[in-house]
């Protein structure tokens, strides 16, 4: 790994947060030469390198100090934190700012034909999710004994496919749930994209650069209000 003084920022390579992340960096005045397939993009006007990775890898890269900053959904951050805390790995980060994109909620859903259900319905049921830690904590809090099935994609088809009784998945408009004949229940977590920083960052030139970017970020956020 090259060890230089360039600030490393991890963003999602291809997905729902990518465009907004690139737009935000542009608004912060970070000029990038983004070539489609490249993992790293070097800024042409600031000592910044942007790493483009899967969103699931972003919290760990920042927690382990491989990257100094990262932009990731709170849903992914909270899940990775819980998983790493349980494993005894570094899990803390400095949350520098909530961002104004990537809004979604992690919610329970079940087949529409079952109609409205109380929490007690989940007792003994099997729930498919990509977020077993967050779901597990919710079930524990609510005193519900249910099992979880981990699926990294197509969670919404799990009930129809006979893999689970219900799901716990990300929802923004609810259109996907509706298209899959699912009824939305309790929200377990509300999420936005957020900017996180490695908590042990001590390099003064990097900290100075972050300190010049933060007021710009606040300006961008205020302009949107
Ligand atoms: P990757 O290939 O990087 O792992 P992914 O398929 O896991 O991508 P995306 O679907 O691109 O992830 O979603 C990235 C993030 O966008 C989510 O973790 C969440 O924070 C946010 N998001 C906003 N709205 C939604 C939504 N309706 N469904 C899923 N994620 C959403
Ligand atoms: Zn992902």
């Amino acid at each position: 790994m090259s060890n230089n003084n360039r600030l490393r920022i991890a963003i999602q390579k291809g997905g729902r947060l990518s465009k907004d992340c690139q737009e935000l960096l542009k608004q912060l005045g970070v000029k990038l030469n983004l070539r489609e397939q490249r993992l790293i993009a070097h800024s042409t006007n600031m000592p910044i390198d942007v790493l483009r990775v899967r969103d699931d890898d972003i919290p760990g890269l920042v927690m382990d100090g491989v990257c100094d900053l990262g932009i990731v959904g709170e849903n992914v951050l909270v899940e990775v934190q819980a998983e790493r805390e349980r494993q005894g790995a570094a899990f803390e980060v400095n949350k520098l700012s909530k961002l104004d994109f990537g809004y979604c909620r992690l919610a329970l859903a079940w087949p529409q034909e079952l109609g409205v259900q109380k929490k007690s319905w989940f007792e003994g049921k099997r729930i498919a999710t990509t977020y077993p830690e967050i779901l597990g904590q919710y079930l524990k809090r609510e005193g519900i004994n249910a099992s979880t099935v981990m699926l990294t994609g197509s969670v919404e088809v799990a009930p129809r496919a006979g893999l689970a009784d219900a799901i716990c998945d990300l929802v923004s408009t609810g259109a996907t749930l509706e298209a899959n004949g699912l009824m939305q229940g309790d929200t377990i977590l509300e999420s936005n994209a957020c900017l996180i920083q490695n908590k042990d960052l001590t390099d003064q030139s990097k900290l100075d650069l972050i300190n010049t970017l933060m007021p710009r970020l606040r300006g961008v956020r205020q302009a949107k209000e």
Side-chain angles (χ1 to χ4, degrees), residues 3 27-28 39 41-42 52 55 63 67 82 89 94 96 103 105 109 121 129-130 137 140 148 184 186 192 204:
N3 188 11
Q27 287 169 329
L28 295 178
L39 169 69
H42 305 287
R52 296 151 80 212
D55 66 344
M63 289 164 190
C67 292
N94 292 342
L96 296 186
Y103 173 76
R105 49 197 189 276
W121 176 81
T129 189
T130 310
Q137 286 177 357
K140 201 169 160 195
T148 60
Q184 194 179 319
D186 271 9
N192 268 79
Q204 198 52 50

Side-chain angles (χ1 to χ4, degrees), residues 12-18 53-57 72-76 101-105 130-131 152 169-173 176 191-193:
Q12 190 186 24
K13 183 162 198 285
R16 291 174 202 260
L17 303 180
S18 312
V53 294
R54 287 200 61 183
D55 66 344
D56 315 73
D57 295 335
V72 69
E74 280 162 330
N75 52 310
V76 174
F101 55 84
Y103 173 76
C104 58
R105 49 197 189 276
T130 310
Y131 301 88
T152 54
D169 202 12
L170 296 176
V171 186
S172 45
T173 62
T176 307
S191 177
N192 268 79

Side-chain angles (χ1 to χ4, degrees), residues 24-177:
L24 178 63
L25 289 169
K26 200 167 153 190
Q27 287 169 329
L28 295 178
V30 183
K31 289 203 176 114
L32 287 173
N33 188 1
L34 284 175
R35 297 229 192 97
E36 280 310 304
Q37 295 309 323
R38 291 266 171 95
L39 169 69
I40 299 184
H42 305 287
S43 167
T44 50
N45 66 334
M46 289 186 211
I48 292 178
D49 289 343
V50 173
L51 249 86
R52 296 151 80 212
V53 294
R54 287 200 61 183
D55 66 344
D56 315 73
D57 295 335
I58 294 172
L61 287 169
V62 175
M63 289 164 190
D64 292 334
V66 177
C67 292
D68 307 299
L69 299 179
I71 297 175
V72 69
E74 280 162 330
N75 52 310
V76 174
L77 176 63
V78 173
E79 180 70 17
V80 173
Q81 283 189 307
E83 192 184 341
R84 288 176 62 119
E85 186 176 9
R86 205 167 35 74
Q87 293 166 346
F91 67 93
E92 286 174 84
V93 289
N94 292 342
K95 214 171 186 183
L96 296 186
S97 178
K98 196 176 160 134
L99 301 171
D100 306 296
F101 55 84
Y103 173 76
C104 58
R105 49 197 189 276
L106 188 63
L108 291 165
W110 55 86
Q112 224 152 30
E113 63 265 23
L114 299 177
V116 177
Q117 294 292 346
K118 290 201 200 107
K119 273 182 196 152
S120 56
W121 176 81
F122 285 94
E123 193 65 30
K125 295 288 192 297
R126 193 197 294 259
I127 311 171
T129 189
T130 310
Y131 301 88
E133 300 281 348
I134 301 175
L135 174 60
Q137 286 177 357
Y138 167 84
L139 294 172
K140 201 169 160 195
R141 213 162 52 228
E142 297 292 335
I144 301 167
N145 272 307
S147 58
T148 60
V149 193
M150 167 74 174
L151 287 179
T152 54
S154 307
V155 176
E156 67 282 356
V157 305
R160 212 171 351 118
L163 299 174
D165 302 297
I167 66 168
C168 169
D169 202 12
L170 296 176
V171 186
S172 45
T173 62
T176 307
L177 291 186

